[in-house]
Amino acid sequence: MCRLIEAGQRRMWLFSLAPLMLAVVIGLAPTAMKRVLLLLVFAPIAEEIVFREGMQQWLWRRGWSARAAMLAVTLAFGLAHAWTRSPLLGLAVLLPAQALGWLYTRTASLWFCVLAHAAMNAVWLMWCGVEA
């Protein structure tokens, strides 16, 4: 586990620049394209940095079990979505957030989580449409 935590800390500086660069690109895009970029690129990168590389790693370093850290991060992820979007969306993201937490626990790969998160958001976009 310690080896995984150290690897996460070394990568953190690189990942922290990506959301800033993407925000500039998103700011220049048309409205529908902004939504697609936000949901398929910016949100997966930024949220996985915060919730997996940040919060889940932080809890592990403080001695939390993998299961307890996953559950806490899942609840935080749901609360963040409920607070920024709607309570219903906060509930809707709990199962996907748990799946992402499990994936991160098993692989310790932020990129797997980012790709899985983007895929989940793509399915949501196809289901609800870009304007939803």
Side-chain angles (χ1 to χ4, degrees):
M1 173 99 53
C2 290
R3 183 176 59 101
L4 298 177
I5 292 169
E6 291 169 6
Q9 290 171 339
R10 286 192 303 263
R11 291 185 305 216
M12 190 65 137
W13 71 271
L14 175 65
F15 294 130
S16 64
L17 296 176
L20 295 175
M21 293 184 298
L22 290 171
V24 171
V25 172
I26 289 171
L28 302 174
T31 304
M33 183 57 85
K34 284 181 186 180
R35 184 161 180 78
V36 170
L37 286 172
L38 178 70
L39 289 171
L40 298 184
V41 180
F42 182 73
I45 292 172
E47 290 177 357
E48 295 309 315
I49 287 171
V50 169
F51 290 99
R52 306 300 158 226
E53 272 306 290
M55 189 174 183
Q56 198 161 337
Q57 285 281 350
W58 184 80
L59 293 172
W60 284 346
R61 284 194 303 269
R62 274 143 190 82
W64 287 47
S65 69
R67 177 174 279 173
M70 269 191 322
L71 290 173
V73 172
T74 295
L75 291 174
F77 193 81
L79 287 172
H81 282 77
W83 183 55
T84 59
R85 297 291 307 249
S86 74
L88 186 57
L89 184 61
L91 288 174
V93 300
L94 290 177
L95 187 59
Q98 186 68 24
L100 291 168
W102 177 86
L103 180 64
Y104 189 70
T105 299
R106 296 291 180 236
T107 66
S109 170
L110 183 66
W111 286 115
F112 284 157
C113 293
V114 168
L115 291 173
H117 191 146
M120 290 177 199
N121 285 357
V123 169
W124 184 82
L125 273 173
M126 288 186 292
W127 183 281
C128 297
V130 174
E131 300 303 323

